Amino acid sequence: MRRRRESLIKEDSLLDAAISPLLTDLYQINMIQAYLDHGNTDTAVFELFVRSLPPRRGFLIAAGLQQALDFLENLRFSSADIDWLKSTGRFNTNLLDYLGDFRFSGEVHAIAEGTAFFASEPILRVTAPLPQAQLVESRLINILHFQTLIAAKAARCVLAAPGKLLVDFGMRRAHGAEAALLAARASYLAGFAGTATVLAGQTFGIPLFGTMAHSFIEAQDDEMAAFELFARARPDNVVLLLDTYDTEAAARKVVTLAPWLKASGIAIRGVRLDSGNLVALAKSVRAILDAGGLPDVTIFASGGLDEDALADLLRAQAPVDGFGVGTSLTTSSDVPAIDFVYKLQEYGGAPRRKNSDKKATWPGRKQVWRRYDADGRMASDRIALARSPAAANGAESLLDCVMRDGRRLRAAPPLDEIRVRAKRDLERLPEPLRRLAPDATYPVEIGADLVDLAALVDRRIHRS
């Protein structure tokens, strides 16, 4: 009985993991112990950015800020958390007392969700007492990295299939429950029309899409009977799966069935193809439907699709109206990770910088300035010190203050508002990036003030 109770406790902790303050790396707590022991509690400034863009990612889309701010506002250690930390024997009373009273009291500047950004550009800046700013590192990277990763993948699909209905089909192969839910959010804000993940509909109000599985067809003795049963059970938006057996034969059954259903007030809205040569099958199915008097029945395709497959289908003029994108989206399978980092840029009022080989950082609090050309397209970005207003020269600043004293400055924007921003930024990308050209780059300039400050920090370090 005791073993069963312990098992239930462990299962409950898995469900609560997303909001647990113990979802962090041990070295964060180790450092906080040392900071407290030595009185290192002055104000620190950390910035989160991507060191370099991986292949096939000419740009990224900022996503996950709202969940990051939720995390910071609600970060608390329960008495059970403190008791467990105490039981490990690793930590002193001063740390346990500090964590028992912990509240994030810092300030956050961030790039708005849905904004396109590039390497070295900070998308989040945390200004807080050093132990606080240190503690939140791991989870902030965890939240912002994942949604940004998926939003960038989704944006590539949107650009590859302009004007097409795109739906997230990837929940079943996402890496866990939170990943499935947040992938639906990230893909929607990047321009997908909706998701098959029901909880995302409840949580975020994302439109839900779903048809049927092959098992429904197989469970009946007759394919046409299966179509009719499903249509009568779900009469409002009937989409029938055609490729359980013979795809073209199934399309002809749809033509036969459509008038019977119409007499009952039920219209077949679409059909889905999930395997085989999608170009050839879409063309033959379209011909069958059109010849049968069903030109308004749409064709939806799924099954192992990514942005390359979408582009290939459009180039081949496959008559497909929409696509379900699954595994490649929710796992970002071609680029499953991005080099997101969270680095100390200032402490106690003095600029700080890492200067190791291939991992050097630019010191100080920074701003990103974006310039546009005469057509409204992004022309170049400049990273400069935040205190240098002269860096603007008519450019748009990307980082704004979104949290002060540990509280949001404004309510979270609606997800549809974030979608509008993402759509705008995708439209403003230079044409090579919009075409997903593999060698496309974007100019990001490092301000002279940052170069000078880095040299000053290096001289100080060498003297020490």
Side-chain angles (χ1 to χ4, degrees):
M1 188 68 174
R2 179 180 177 183
R3 186 173 300 172
R4 170 63 177 161
R5 191 181 305 114
E6 290 175 349
S7 175
L8 288 173
I9 291 172
K10 290 177 181 178
E11 289 173 7
D12 287 344
S13 68
L14 287 175
L15 297 176
D16 294 337
I19 59 173
S20 172
L22 300 180
L23 185 62
T24 188
D25 292 304
L26 176 61
Y27 80 165
Q28 309 291 8
I29 304 178
N30 287 344
M31 285 187 284
I32 293 170
Q33 178 70 77
Y35 290 152
L36 295 176
D37 288 350
H38 295 281
N40 299 139
T41 58
D42 287 348
T43 298
V45 177
F46 283 80
E47 290 178 342
L48 189 148
F49 58 95
V50 174
R51 282 197 182 101
S52 60
L53 296 179
R56 292 173 55 82
R57 294 293 183 274
F59 66 93
L60 298 171
I61 298 291
L65 176 61
Q66 297 312 317
Q67 286 68 43
L69 298 180
D70 286 344
F71 162 68
L72 293 174
E73 277 193 325
N74 296 295
L75 184 57
R76 304 286 188 275
F77 285 80
S78 68
S79 57
D81 295 328
I82 300 301
D83 288 345
W84 183 84
L85 288 169
K86 183 177 181 180
S87 73
T88 68
R90 293 175 180 268
F91 307 109
N92 298 334
T93 300
N94 62 338
L95 173 77
L96 300 175
D97 290 344
Y98 177 84
L99 295 181
D101 295 330
F102 186 91
R103 301 290 186 275
F104 180 76
S105 62
E107 183 174 276
V108 176
H109 290 72
I111 286 178
E113 287 193 275
T115 302
F117 72 97
F118 304 90
S120 300
E121 298 181 344
I123 67 167
L124 187 88
R125 182 198 311 144
V126 172
T127 305
L130 180 58
Q132 291 187 28
Q134 188 74 67
L135 179 64
V136 300
E137 173 185 6
S138 298
R139 182 60 170 147
L140 285 179
I141 294 176
N142 175 254
I143 292 169
L144 291 162
H145 169 268
F146 179 73
Q147 286 202 59
T148 296
L149 179 76
I150 303 306
K153 182 68 171 179
R156 288 174 61 84
C157 294
V158 170
L159 292 173
K164 299 294 183 179
L165 179 80
L166 297 177
V167 179
D168 157 38
F169 269 19
M171 188 276 283
R172 63 187 62 193
R173 293 197 179 97
H175 297 166
E178 186 184 45
L181 185 62
L182 294 181
R185 180 183 188 273
S187 59
Y188 182 66
L189 75 82
F192 270 46
T195 180
T197 303
V198 177
L199 185 58
Q202 180 195 49
T203 304
F204 302 119
I206 298 173
L208 295 176
F209 292 79
T211 59
M212 56 165 61
H214 294 105
S215 54
F216 186 87
I217 306 295
E218 295 167 17
Q220 312 304 321
D221 293 331
D222 177 82
E223 187 175 38
M224 187 181 294
F227 288 163
E228 184 174 4
L229 284 172
F230 186 80
R232 295 191 183 281
R234 300 289 304 143
D236 295 333
N237 188 26
V238 179
V239 179
L240 302 173
L241 181 61
L242 298 188
D243 66 333
T244 306
Y245 307 119
D246 182 315
T247 301
E248 293 175 340
R252 287 188 284 270
K253 291 173 184 176
V254 169
V255 169
T256 300
L257 180 62
W260 302 350
L261 293 176
K262 186 176 180 180
S264 301
I266 300 172
I268 297 175
R269 303 295 184 187
V271 296
R272 179 161 71 98
L273 308 177
D274 192 54
S275 59
N277 184 329
L278 292 178
V279 174
L281 288 173
K283 289 180 177 180
S284 63
V285 167
R286 182 75 273 159
I288 291 168
L289 295 175
D290 289 350
L294 301 177
D296 295 330
V297 172
T298 61
I299 297 177
F300 188 86
S302 57
L305 301 178
D306 61 10
E307 66 268 42
D308 297 326
L310 299 182
D312 289 344
L313 286 164
L314 266 63
R315 274 193 294 270
Q317 298 184 324
V320 179
D321 303 287
F323 302 94
V325 186
T327 304
S328 71
L329 173 68
T330 55
T331 66
S332 187
S333 53
D334 64 320
V335 177
I338 301 172
D339 194 10
F340 257 112
V341 292
Y342 176 90
K343 295 301 178 184
L344 180 67
Q345 313 293 43
E346 180 184 303
Y347 177 62
R352 310 285 166 154
R353 145 178 165 91
K354 180 178 179 179
N355 198 14
S356 55
D357 185 36
K358 297 181 180 179
K359 292 188 176 182
T361 61
W362 297 106
R365 308 181 192 203
K366 291 176 279 299
Q367 179 60 271
V368 180
W369 301 95
R370 177 158 294 165
R371 293 178 174 82
Y372 299 90
D373 63 20
D375 296 325
R377 293 286 181 91
M378 298 175 193
S380 66
D381 287 2
R382 188 166 188 257
I383 307 172
L385 288 172
R387 66 170 184 261
S388 302
N393 290 330
E396 175 189 10
S397 60
L398 298 189
L399 284 113
D400 290 319
C401 188
V402 294
M403 175 176 279
R404 188 172 288 125
D405 298 325
R407 308 303 299 177
R408 295 172 193 260
L409 296 183
R410 61 192 68 89
L415 197 49
D416 282 339
E417 181 180 315
I418 299 172
R419 276 169 57 83
V420 170
R421 182 182 297 111
K423 182 176 185 293
R424 179 206 64 186
D425 267 25
L426 291 182
E427 290 171 348
R428 288 179 168 187
L429 287 173
E431 195 55 37
L433 291 176
R434 285 181 51 80
R435 292 198 313 268
L436 305 181
D439 57 349
T441 59
Y442 180 82
V444 177
E445 175 191 358
I446 302 299
D449 53 356
L450 281 181
V451 175
D452 292 343
L453 186 61
L456 178 66
V457 173
D458 289 346
R459 288 195 295 272
R460 185 187 70 207
I461 292 172
H462 292 319
R463 286 197 304 267
S464 62

